[in-house]
Amino acid sequence: MPDTKTRDPAALLARLPAALAAALEAPAYAAHLAGIDPAAVTDRAALARLPVLRKGEMPARQREKLPFGGFVPGAVGGFARLFTSPGPIFEPQRAGDDPWGGAPALEAAGFRAGEVVLNTFGYHLTPGGFIFDTAARALGCAVIPAGPGNTEQQLDLIEAYRPAGYVGTPDFLKVLLDAGAKAGRDVSSLGKALVSGAAFPASLQAEFRERGIAAAQAYATADVGFIAYETPGEHGLLVNEGLILEIVRPGTGDPVPEGEVGEIVVTVLDLDRPLIRYALGDLTAFLPGGRRIRGWMGRADQSAKVKGMFVRPEQVAEIARRHPELGRLRLVVTRADEADAMALRAESPAPDAALAERVAETLRAVTKLRGTVDLVAPGSLPNDGKVIADERPVG
């Protein structure tokens, strides 16, 4: 059930010092957060001054010190379950009846105590199945641990147990419904669904509605759990209880203004498995009020190889730092005369040739590559979080 206490921003921020103190008990976090006074981090501004830890770095960091890279203060044997996710990234299961915070998402999707839930997320090695299993059980539901695949057997289970709802990817729900219709099987008990893990286009949403299924979506990851989820009659996704979500400019740890697209950074206040400013590499934007996000809007990992050298979002951010008079920046990579070419598009309230020349010199100094600079009017670049656009033809 939703915990109204954790909806209070002040109550969440009050827990930050304890989570930071717990993180510092882990050797890798102690190095990552060296010099930090946990007692001084009590608001979002102070939190935003801490360094981010990027999910993309975790496979390498964990290989250096198996299994968790030194970022987990608790002993390995003290956790209930141990998982691996693609990368690989090794993750422990947190404590509690609803370790990944999914019960509020299921409740918002219409699931209720005493109902039967068909769970088609995988239970083998990865945490997906358990994330939704524990959420449903915390809500008081019975769970069919079906996992993915085995369509014919799943249809048998649906007819036998008459589950009221489905959790899994939207794609597999369509597979089940199509297979049931083709075989003349009774899948009419399924009246609701909470889907995640794949795109859920409007066309598929409409198809499920036509087939009598009210399907909501959740944004969740294996390491964090439920991050945000749909609620009836509201736009966007509601940020989950008990975690702090920031949206930063890709390649930095700097929060963007409300409404601007940026990279999702989360802080999980779990004392056994804290995550402090954990950058997920996914893009989104806050809706007005800062409690809801627009949903998944792509990836922030936008590195491109130009003339044999990598150009990264961090380098675009460095150009912005050196030229605070500029607004949004976008580095466009193309092909011209059978060679890679770069053009930096930069919003500027007062464009002039001298400024463009200075920015071009900075571009060359930071990336070690030559490129042109195109100064454009403020607000003319798309608000999509993209700082590097690779427009070279494929193939």
Side-chain angles (χ1 to χ4, degrees):
M1 301 276 180
D3 181 352
T4 55
K5 292 184 295 183
T6 58
R7 282 285 182 219
D8 179 1
L12 266 182
L13 292 169
R15 295 167 53 197
L16 257 174
L20 281 167
L24 290 172
E25 295 296 317
Y29 260 132
H32 181 68
L33 300 172
I36 299 299
D37 176 11
V41 184
T42 57
D43 57 31
R44 281 184 170 267
L47 179 64
R49 290 192 288 269
L50 303 184
V52 298
L53 176 63
R54 300 198 175 279
K55 180 174 181 173
E57 301 172 4
M58 288 308 294
R61 301 291 291 267
Q62 290 186 343
R63 283 195 298 271
E64 292 172 0
K65 187 176 178 59
L66 292 171
F68 303 131
F71 286 99
V72 175
V76 175
F79 294 98
R81 296 185 179 92
L82 304 168
F83 302 103
T84 182
S85 297
I89 296 177
F90 301 105
E91 285 295 332
Q93 176 177 317
R94 295 188 180 89
D97 294 335
D98 187 14
W100 294 277
L106 281 166
E107 186 176 48
F111 291 78
R112 296 294 181 264
E115 293 181 333
V116 177
V117 178
L118 179 72
N119 182 8
T120 67
F121 283 108
Y123 283 78
H124 179 63
L125 294 180
T126 61
F130 290 98
I131 289 174
F132 284 80
D133 187 298
T134 53
R137 292 172 64 193
L139 196 60
C141 299
V143 179
I144 305 170
N150 302 310
T151 305
E152 188 69 26
Q153 189 173 12
Q154 299 237 17
L155 295 174
D156 291 341
L157 290 168
I158 293 171
E159 289 187 328
Y161 288 118
R162 310 298 294 160
Y166 164 99
V167 296
T169 66
D171 300 356
F172 190 60
L173 177 55
K174 178 172 169 54
V175 168
L176 280 177
L177 295 176
D178 289 348
K182 184 177 180 180
R185 307 294 294 270
D186 182 5
V187 297
S188 61
S189 66
L190 294 175
K192 67 194 79 171
L194 182 63
V195 300
S196 190
F200 191 30
S203 57
L204 190 54
Q205 296 174 38
E207 179 178 337
F208 289 158
R209 284 195 298 269
E210 291 170 1
R211 300 173 88 156
I213 296 177
Q217 56 186 319
Y219 168 47
T221 66
D223 32 25
V224 177
F226 281 77
I227 297 168
Y229 54 89
E230 282 190 295
T231 57
E234 300 284 349
H235 293 295
L237 306 180
L238 181 66
V239 176
N240 201 13
E241 299 87 352
L243 61 81
I244 299 171
L245 189 146
E246 303 171 89
I247 300 175
V248 306
R249 188 159 286 109
T252 78
D254 303 330
V256 299
E258 185 178 281
E260 185 168 328
V261 177
E263 182 178 8
I264 297 172
V265 171
V266 295
T267 295
V268 179
L269 305 172
D270 183 280
L271 301 186
D272 294 318
R273 204 309 181 225
L275 287 172
I276 308 299
R277 300 206 82 203
Y278 193 57
L280 297 177
D282 291 331
L283 296 173
T284 195
F286 276 122
L287 293 174
R291 290 182 58 188
R292 309 182 73 86
I293 59 175
R294 288 173 59 184
W296 186 84
M297 299 179 66
R299 293 289 295 169
D301 304 330
Q302 300 165 26
S303 300
K305 204 169 193 179
V306 181
K307 296 181 179 178
M309 296 180 63
F310 277 105
V311 181
R312 305 181 188 279
E314 292 85 349
Q315 293 172 306
V316 180
E318 175 60 18
I319 297 169
R321 188 190 67 80
R322 297 188 189 187
H323 294 277
E325 68 272 27
L326 299 177
R328 290 195 186 108
L329 304 181
R330 178 178 294 223
L331 187 66
V332 181
V333 183
T334 57
R335 294 281 290 178
D337 299 324
E338 299 302 323
D340 292 338
M342 293 194 317
L344 181 67
R345 304 192 70 203
E347 294 182 353
S348 172
D352 62 71
L355 175 59
E357 186 175 337
R358 292 196 301 272
V359 175
E361 290 173 358
T362 303
L363 173 63
R364 185 166 60 253
V366 170
T367 66
K368 313 305 180 190
L369 295 164
R370 292 183 180 274
T372 62
V373 172
D374 181 16
L375 300 181
V376 300
S380 59
L381 293 180
N383 178 23
D384 57 6
K386 187 173 288 188
V387 296
I388 298 177
D390 192 341
E391 298 181 357
R392 291 171 291 190
V394 178

